[in-house]
mmCIF file of all heavy atoms in Angstrom:
data_model
loop_
_atom_site.group_PDB
_atom_site.id
_atom_site.type_symbol
_atom_site.label_atom_id
_atom_site.label_comp_id
_atom_site.label_asym_id
_atom_site.label_seq_id
_atom_site.Cartn_x
_atom_site.Cartn_y
_atom_site.Cartn_z
ATOM 1 N N CYS A 304 -6.184 7.005 -2.779
ATOM 2 C CA CYS A 304 -5.088 7.287 -3.698
ATOM 3 C C CYS A 304 -4.407 5.972 -4.069
ATOM 4 O O CYS A 304 -4.177 5.128 -3.229
ATOM 5 C CB CYS A 304 -4.055 8.187 -2.954
ATOM 6 S SG CYS A 304 -2.478 8.409 -3.812
ATOM 7 N N ASP A 305 -4.104 5.814 -5.366
ATOM 8 C CA ASP A 305 -3.328 4.608 -5.803
ATOM 9 C C ASP A 305 -1.962 4.969 -6.345
ATOM 10 O O ASP A 305 -1.319 4.141 -6.932
ATOM 11 C CB ASP A 305 -4.152 3.772 -6.760
ATOM 12 C CG ASP A 305 -4.294 4.449 -8.101
ATOM 13 O OD1 ASP A 305 -3.814 5.634 -8.290
ATOM 14 O OD2 ASP A 305 -4.846 3.852 -9.042
ATOM 15 N N GLY A 306 -1.562 6.200 -6.188
ATOM 16 C CA GLY A 306 -0.255 6.644 -6.694
ATOM 17 C C GLY A 306 -0.268 7.205 -8.088
ATOM 18 O O GLY A 306 0.767 7.628 -8.614
ATOM 19 N N SER A 307 -1.414 7.173 -8.776
ATOM 20 C CA SER A 307 -1.496 7.651 -10.119
ATOM 21 C C SER A 307 -1.096 9.119 -10.299
ATOM 22 O O SER A 307 -0.661 9.505 -11.366
ATOM 23 C CB SER A 307 -2.917 7.465 -10.686
ATOM 24 O OG SER A 307 -3.232 6.074 -10.799
ATOM 25 N N HIS A 308 -1.241 9.862 -9.228
ATOM 26 C CA HIS A 308 -0.897 11.323 -9.300
ATOM 27 C C HIS A 308 0.597 11.519 -9.662
ATOM 28 O O HIS A 308 0.905 12.474 -10.330
ATOM 29 C CB HIS A 308 -1.227 12.001 -7.935
ATOM 30 C CG HIS A 308 -0.436 11.461 -6.776
ATOM 31 N ND1 HIS A 308 -0.903 10.393 -6.039
ATOM 32 C CD2 HIS A 308 0.791 11.808 -6.319
ATOM 33 C CE1 HIS A 308 0.013 10.168 -5.066
ATOM 34 N NE2 HIS A 308 1.011 10.990 -5.241
ATOM 35 N N ARG A 309 1.402 10.587 -9.233
ATOM 36 C CA ARG A 309 2.866 10.722 -9.555
ATOM 37 C C ARG A 309 3.102 10.572 -11.069
ATOM 38 O O ARG A 309 3.830 11.384 -11.653
ATOM 39 C CB ARG A 309 3.649 9.636 -8.823
ATOM 40 C CG ARG A 309 3.735 9.895 -7.326
ATOM 41 C CD ARG A 309 4.753 8.940 -6.694
ATOM 42 N NE ARG A 309 4.448 8.819 -5.267
ATOM 43 C CZ ARG A 309 3.817 7.789 -4.689
ATOM 44 N NH1 ARG A 309 3.433 6.746 -5.429
ATOM 45 N NH2 ARG A 309 3.498 7.785 -3.452
ATOM 46 N N VAL A 310 2.516 9.552 -11.650
ATOM 47 C CA VAL A 310 2.697 9.292 -13.085
ATOM 48 C C VAL A 310 2.166 10.464 -13.905
ATOM 49 O O VAL A 310 2.723 10.870 -14.910
ATOM 50 C CB VAL A 310 2.018 7.971 -13.501
ATOM 51 C CG1 VAL A 310 2.155 7.728 -14.993
ATOM 52 C CG2 VAL A 310 2.604 6.839 -12.725
ATOM 53 N N ALA A 311 1.009 11.009 -13.482
ATOM 54 C CA ALA A 311 0.348 12.089 -14.190
ATOM 55 C C ALA A 311 0.989 13.448 -13.975
ATOM 56 O O ALA A 311 0.693 14.392 -14.699
ATOM 57 C CB ALA A 311 -1.103 12.153 -13.770
ATOM 58 N N GLY A 312 1.891 13.549 -13.003
ATOM 59 C CA GLY A 312 2.524 14.833 -12.727
ATOM 60 C C GLY A 312 1.548 15.858 -12.077
ATOM 61 O O GLY A 312 1.667 17.047 -12.281
ATOM 62 N N PHE A 313 0.627 15.331 -11.304
ATOM 63 C CA PHE A 313 -0.332 16.169 -10.597
ATOM 64 C C PHE A 313 0.418 17.229 -9.749
ATOM 65 O O PHE A 313 1.341 16.895 -9.048
ATOM 66 C CB PHE A 313 -1.250 15.290 -9.730
ATOM 67 C CG PHE A 313 -2.211 16.122 -8.867
ATOM 68 C CD1 PHE A 313 -3.252 16.753 -9.452
ATOM 69 C CD2 PHE A 313 -2.081 16.121 -7.461
ATOM 70 C CE1 PHE A 313 -4.148 17.444 -8.638
ATOM 71 C CE2 PHE A 313 -2.948 16.793 -6.697
ATOM 72 C CZ PHE A 313 -3.995 17.501 -7.253
ATOM 73 N N ARG A 314 -0.032 18.439 -9.854
ATOM 74 C CA ARG A 314 0.521 19.513 -9.038
ATOM 75 C C ARG A 314 -0.553 20.234 -8.189
ATOM 76 O O ARG A 314 -1.579 20.562 -8.712
ATOM 77 C CB ARG A 314 1.173 20.557 -9.956
ATOM 78 C CG ARG A 314 2.346 20.047 -10.731
ATOM 79 C CD ARG A 314 3.538 19.843 -9.790
ATOM 80 N NE ARG A 314 4.653 19.291 -10.498
ATOM 81 C CZ ARG A 314 5.121 18.053 -10.291
ATOM 82 N NH1 ARG A 314 4.526 17.222 -9.463
ATOM 83 N NH2 ARG A 314 6.147 17.571 -10.957
ATOM 84 N N ALA A 315 -0.252 20.316 -6.894
ATOM 85 C CA ALA A 315 -1.118 21.010 -5.976
ATOM 86 C C ALA A 315 -0.327 21.354 -4.744
ATOM 87 O O ALA A 315 0.485 20.569 -4.292
ATOM 88 C CB ALA A 315 -2.374 20.204 -5.608
ATOM 89 N N THR A 316 -0.544 22.526 -4.236
ATOM 90 C CA THR A 316 0.195 22.913 -3.022
ATOM 91 C C THR A 316 -0.341 22.194 -1.810
ATOM 92 O O THR A 316 -1.463 21.746 -1.718
ATOM 93 C CB THR A 316 0.069 24.475 -2.844
ATOM 94 O OG1 THR A 316 0.837 24.791 -1.690
ATOM 95 C CG2 THR A 316 -1.371 24.860 -2.603
#
Side-chain angles (χ1 to χ4, degrees):
C304 169
D305 70 356
S307 295
H308 62 271
R309 288 189 203 102
V310 176
F313 176 70
R314 295 287 176 250
T316 183

